[in-house]
Amino acid sequence: MTKAITSALNVGELAAGQVLSVPLFTFKGTDNRAPTVYVQANVHGAEVQGNAVIYQLMTLLENCHVLGDIVFAPLANPLGINQKSGEFTLGRFDPITGVNWNREYLDHKIDIAAWYKQHQDLPNDELIKSFKATLTEACHTKLQQPWGITTGHRLAVNLQSLAHSADIVLDLHTGPKSCKHLYCPEYDMDSAKFFSIPYSLIIPNSFGGAMDEAAFCPWWQLTEYAASQGRHFDVPVAAFTLELASQERIDMADALVDAKGIMAYLSHRGVIQEAVQPAKMPRYACYLKDYKKFHAPQSGMVEYCAKVGEPLLAGNTLVNILRLDLYGSDKACTSLSLDKDCVPILHFASASVHQGTELYKVMTNVFEFPC
Amino acid sequence: MTKAITSALNVGELAAGQVLSVPLFTFKGTDNRAPTVYVQANVHGAEVQGNAVIYQLMTLLENCHVLGDIVFAPLANPLGINQKSGEFTLGRFDPITGVNWNREYLDHKIDIAAWYKQHQDLPNDELIKSFKATLTEACHTKLQQPWGITTGHRLAVNLQSLAHSADIVLDLHTGPKSCKHLYCPEYDMDSAKFFSIPYSLIIPNSFGGAMDEAAFCPWWQLTEYAASQGRHFDVPVAAFTLELASQERIDMADALVDAKGIMAYLSHRGVIQEAVQPAKMPRYACYLKDYKKFHAPQSGMVEYCAKVGEPLLAGNTLVNILRLDLYGSDKACTSLSLDKDCVPILHFASASVHQGTELYKVMTNVFEFPC
Amino acid sequence: MTKAITSALNVGELAAGQVLSVPLFTFKGTDNRAPTVYVQANVHGAEVQGNAVIYQLMTLLENCHVLGDIVFAPLANPLGINQKSGEFTLGRFDPITGVNWNREYLDHKIDIAAWYKQHQDLPNDELIKSFKATLTEACHTKLQQPWGITTGHRLAVNLQSLAHSADIVLDLHTGPKSCKHLYCPEYDMDSAKFFSIPYSLIIPNSFGGAMDEAAFCPWWQLTEYAASQGRHFDVPVAAFTLELASQERIDMADALVDAKGIMAYLSHRGVIQEAVQPAKMPRYACYLKDYKKFHAPQSGMVEYCAKVGEPLLAGNTLVNILRLDLYGSDKACTSLSLDKDCVPILHFASASVHQGTELYKVMTNVFEFPC
Amino acid sequence: MTKAITSALNVGELAAGQVLSVPLFTFKGTDNRAPTVYVQANVHGAEVQGNAVIYQLMTLLENCHVLGDIVFAPLANPLGINQKSGEFTLGRFDPITGVNWNREYLDHKIDIAAWYKQHQDLPNDELIKSFKATLTEACHTKLQQPWGITTGHRLAVNLQSLAHSADIVLDLHTGPKSCKHLYCPEYDMDSAKFFSIPYSLIIPNSFGGAMDEAAFCPWWQLTEYAASQGRHFDVPVAAFTLELASQERIDMADALVDAKGIMAYLSHRGVIQEAVQPAKMPRYACYLKDYKKFHAPQSGMVEYCAKVGEPLLAGNTLVNILRLDLYGSDKACTSLSLDKDCVPILHFASASVHQGTELYKVMTNVFEFPC
């Protein structure tokens, strides 16, 4: 039986003096050639199910032969998780500045050409080690800025520093009211078939601010640049964001399903010795450019008619919008639909919306992954 | 076909100048001896389903022969409904003061003995009319306070003033995550069997601050006092709070079910000419003293295991509480249960709780209404 | 030199697992016949100046001969102090329930007649000791409720339990934009002349929910009841709320002024051996019934013309209210005044108000304390 | 006497059905060759003083001979202004998404080279007119997106559309606790000497998301590109952000001072016929790269020692940070200073901060404008 080693990461302090710290649990691997893993959950305060998945994963790993080091950071946003406003958790953004906690990671903006020129004589393993050091050092420099850094940067860059030391990075999120979906970089599409997740978004090589992008973008850029110089190797780092259904929900049985999907991926990558088969299930995807946000064209009370995770034909009702103040007119109840086929992936959490609220995110031009 | 007459009630104005107004829809009855009705919804901003029920009710009434006047006030809290904080509606209390919008109604504190002494020579209908005038006038006096009144009082007492002009008052709410239940005054228990609501709370004759109590308490007190003086009549006003399942939810089909339940009650009371039968279903109740709040004895992430509306035996799991920071100890996952049988009626909306958060409200000593 | 002994009071735990604790600093007295003292600050999150006063007080005490035990509880609301919403601290009420943190203390509702009957044979010091035990035990019983208690009750009753063990209780608050003022029970008016506070509110013997009332009301009731039975003694417990000017403000120099005022009171009471004279300054008061809240009769942008702490004659401008949306009409800028002389004590913190917002609190029928 | 013409701009609708509209006041000019002006205020909800300045400006203009059309949009954010959370106005960002209301303007990203190539044969006035049409049309296209746009974009782009029709754009803001300062594009530095504002930030030609940049950046880019092609003309549009001291403050007398400063600028530009002289006062500036944010290196209660608008020498105390929980250690009270001379321009609004909170913004390398 393998036991996790417990530690903690200091990520700030609150006005009344409390230290903000993230609990860390490390499973030491027995083979230092095996890939290393970093898994975090709950960076958005209301997105708690990742903690349950980490709980199930750690329970499973206790009975495994772990080859590569695995670090778990559940409860990764100790400020956001405790931030209530009314009954719900207001943990999506810094309550002072409004900045999304998930948009505070460091954009390295490395001059890849210059870096490569300087290090091109290194063999592959040294090149990778050196690039990893460059990324980690940039995080440390950011944390030591003489004029200080924001609360959000301190949290994010501390986590990012941990992530950069791993070969595999998993960031566990949820949607508002959502089906499960995976953010998967285009170069790594084959990995999507290991997770127990029916829908994947295929994302390009550009930094949008999230942890997965912070983790893989520099490596993808390096790999592409090296290839342009005639040197070919696989992108050395894999990073995914898993959206594990809806926020404000803990479901231990469903967490086990997702833990097993992650185990199948870790098994495939040689992080654990045991062979774990992925779930047999159809898996679908679309490119990020085909992932559409539908904003409320009018305000009102919303009946969400389209189910997340189920295909919706063009013209079928997406929502009904009630406007009781207009009762007696033809605007008292309005049905809205889209003019193309889609799969609704998530919808807004509340049943009342202002004009312009993001009502649904839907996949269009969906295709099935070959098994 | 009967059409609603549209008007509006001014209940305040916002900093930037916008008028706060509540839309009113009136169905004029044809028989001035029939009871009159006042129905409001959405005094708590996130509790939107009552609007859908009013929509369905008005649609049904358009094809009815309406005998008594019926006034509908949907969207009854124009400040609270629009108050977002994050994705959810923060409409339970005044965002400035924290005061629950549903605790701002006027407590008349009438000296019933003195009032009765002064009016006892009036025949019943005159006595009732005069008492009604007393209540309404007290509302107007409150609204005209020389030093002004709070935003919440202005809203509540304006609505209350409308309510006092009716013989039947229905206040449509929801719980957080909740099954349907009815707040029913003890003197009016027989009415519970008309609504499509499986659980009733039998409430005593004391003002707790809510609209239903504001509407019926003075009448109940008058009735009891008169009886103590040897004069017997039924409590002239009926008032109920209907909790129509969960907040942040619009379901038009379910709204029709509840609209029909209300129609059955209105039919029984002679407000409409049509005969509408109540739904055949078992109905249960408990006394308010047996309605228990269970507060989280510890903090953490919560899996709500007990389903609302379904009996739970003593010792069966109510919730599991996850504490990932304590992984490795025996406190990482804790199951909690109660030591007596109950029916969980509602639970907290969020899956993470501080110590002391109200986790569940449960009925104990539940009994079935005779059909 | 006397050093404070450091400890901590556990008052709850947050969703992500952090313990809520209040730091305690105790100065042990050398004479167990001297009165004991409890001082807390910052129960409302934005009212921080009391911490600075405690800092200065403790610094002064280090060079004093302390006779009676003194316990300081700064930062007394570890949840509320850290609760931001935008740039300001949203620490006036529980963000989940809206309940004012300062209205969660236990209302003992002791049957004084019954209690006295049972204990009347005790000599004074035993009677007092026994009553103190009764109050403390009631707090412990509340904290051990089998169905749990709210987050706010857990905090407040824990603090109250500390307060009940002291003979003198000081609760340090501030107003929104405010001059200094003191809440002083009527039986203890003479004490007002020791503090460096120009205005006092004379409050009656009824529990409104605040700490000072929780501390002195039961004792006042006991004293009055005993007197009605022919036994006379002074109210054994003194309790005051000090409102130390405006929230969201730390001023170390001004904190020293208030610390010296408190030292003068402690010196007078024999808590310290040193003789400290109160500041020479005029001091004024009014009865609570003459303390008036003025609510905004209309909404708009507010210029606060009347200075807090300075007498305002009837008819002089209190505020100007701007309504740019009505520019061109005679309502674009409105001056408001009161029809009686007053001293404005505090005004609303924001320059924009909804209709009904509490604009000013003013003292009327102000009288000067004899020196 | 010139009277303003009243109209309104619809910018959205709220959940309960209320229309969001911005009041507009237009002074029609008598000379269509004179520059036209657009002035808005209160895009951030708590920054109300600009409304008072507009009030004073309109009052002054009523007695002027207005040559160029002037449009005023006070109360420009009808959602944000009414958004309270506690006593203060939480109007800095969309309460649902956290997005800063002042970062929602459209970044045109015009391919200037291509546009210029297509229009280079036009004479200057036609070129300008055509470019203006391009900008306005892009706003209209954004507003008509088939999948809808966010609440914030709808507001901002509607306002921007008005701004693009003017030659002079003034956006009236305030800081949190702040002295007056002006954001001034580098090409337009000479204009800073007309306003009654002691400090100017000289900003470069890049879009950071604010209204002033949205208004002048495309024009600056066009002017520079044309110059690179050998055609020289002045940047046709002037745009400034005026930071009028602190938020949550209405001061009518001070508003008149700023109104007169704006009148001096309008007079200089020939928008009004009257000659208005700028105030005689020293004026200072620094480049945006020398405008520094100082983040709290630790958390605690803050005494803001450095006054805004007054030079602070290196090593002098900026703030004292109190940590009562650490009383007894050398960290109970910490003085912080900077290691270079500066002028503090603004500081955080609250007296308690988490680690990382932006404490101060200071100008370094400050220089005086020649008179």
Side-chain angles (χ1 to χ4, degrees), chain D residues 249-267:
Chain D
R249 162 185 175 265
I250 291 284
D251 183 317
M252 294 302 284
D254 196 39
L256 186 56
V257 170
D258 285 304
K260 286 179 179 168
I262 293 170
M263 291 293 277
Y265 177 72
L266 297 183
S267 168

Side-chain angles (χ1 to χ4, degrees), chain A residues 84-85 248 252 303 350 352, chain B residues 84-85 248 303 350 352:
Chain A
K84 296 280 181 183
S85 182
E248 294 291 16
M252 295 302 285
E303 182 178 37
S350 164
S352 72
Chain B
K84 296 281 181 181
S85 183
E248 294 290 18
E303 183 177 38
S350 164
S352 72

